[in-house]
Amino acid sequence: MRDHRCGGPGLLRRRRSGLRPVPGGSTAPPGRYSAGQLFLRRVRELFDRLESLDKPTIAAIQGITVGGGLELVLCCDLAIAARSARIGDGHANYAQIPGGGASVRLTRRLGLSRAKLLMFTGQLHPAEWYEGTDLLTAVVDDDQLEPRIAEIAAHIATKSPVGLARMKMLANDGLQVPPEVGLTMELEQSALHETSADWQEGIAAFNEKRTPKYIGR
């Protein structure tokens, strides 16, 4: 498989736009936001849409994943990494700070102390360094990356789309609210889900000992 590098768009965007620091440290043209900040707001919108997509997403990590590449991975539900992959934050290496969500999402996936270590040092670590953390679902040999992802995707594809969408929403939203609120949300969604055709098909297939045929409603 080919080597890949997925890094942050911030430095590339600055190089292409011709933005350069001026005395005082600002690159902002007249107006409320600089071109760079407007760009980051578009990135934020894209990443938020990916994270809230009603379908499961899987990140395949190979080569170097750093800065904005890491922030993209953090928006995915699952992340499978090739053993040769190297992953890090990297913003601190060029006096940048996260603009695509790492300061929030990375701390929740790695824990505060380890996330700070990545952000403060800017170091890249091999994929195996992240095993046992919530950043990576699995680390596999390089030649098994695509087969493993295809296997997981095939299993997921047999499930009810509406059921998966509701489970994803509950899992994501449950991290943002107190436990009692999340549990109430779960009961409310469960009651709503019982009215779906897929829920009824699942129960019927269980009783009839056959493979369910879901229609996504």
Side-chain angles (χ1 to χ4, degrees):
M1 299 173 69
R2 293 174 299 171
D3 187 31
H4 297 274
R5 180 185 295 261
C6 187
L11 290 172
L12 179 61
R13 175 257 308 156
R14 284 190 171 87
R15 187 165 68 240
R16 288 178 174 171
S17 67
L19 288 173
R20 295 291 185 272
V22 299
S26 175
T27 58
R32 183 177 179 187
Y33 297 124
S34 69
Q37 286 301 310
L38 291 173
F39 175 81
L40 285 177
R41 278 160 174 74
R42 291 195 292 270
V43 171
R44 158 75 186 277
E45 180 182 356
L46 175 63
F47 283 5
D48 286 351
R49 289 174 64 185
L50 174 61
E51 186 176 46
S52 61
L53 191 70
D54 63 359
K55 296 175 175 59
T57 55
I58 306 174
I61 305 175
Q62 185 181 20
I64 295 176
T65 299
V66 63
L70 173 61
E71 290 173 317
L72 178 63
V73 168
L74 291 169
C75 297
C76 296
D77 300 308
L78 309 175
I80 314 297
R83 204 167 300 280
S84 64
R86 293 176 62 78
I87 306 167
D89 181 61
H91 286 98
N93 295 334
Y94 299 99
Q96 306 297 298
I97 66 172
S103 65
V104 176
R105 294 186 177 105
L106 187 60
T107 56
R108 295 181 180 182
R109 296 284 282 272
L110 281 183
L112 185 59
S113 179
R114 196 169 238 191
K116 285 180 176 178
L117 177 63
L118 280 190
M119 290 191 289
F120 293 170
T121 65
Q123 291 179 310
L124 295 174
H125 296 279
E128 291 179 340
W129 190 81
Y130 298 90
E131 283 192 296
T133 74
D134 195 40
L135 178 63
L136 297 182
T137 309
V139 177
V140 300
D141 292 337
D142 287 34
D143 62 354
Q144 292 301 306
L145 181 61
E146 289 186 6
R148 180 59 175 143
I149 290 175
E151 178 187 9
I152 294 172
H155 279 295
I156 293 174
T158 66
K159 312 308 182 211
S160 160
V162 66
L164 292 172
R166 286 189 169 123
M167 283 192 288
K168 176 173 177 173
M169 179 190 68
L170 285 169
N172 286 348
D173 291 353
L175 289 175
Q176 317 299 325
V177 299
E180 61 272 16
V181 175
L183 292 170
T184 299
M185 290 166 50
E186 184 181 76
L187 287 176
E188 292 173 346
Q189 286 297 316
S190 178
L192 180 61
H193 190 57
E194 285 185 12
T195 66
S196 70
D198 279 1
W199 184 90
Q200 297 173 28
E201 168 63 10
I203 295 297
F206 176 81
N207 290 331
E208 297 167 13
K209 297 180 173 58
R210 60 174 174 81
T211 300
K213 298 179 181 179
Y214 299 119
I215 61 174
R217 294 198 302 273

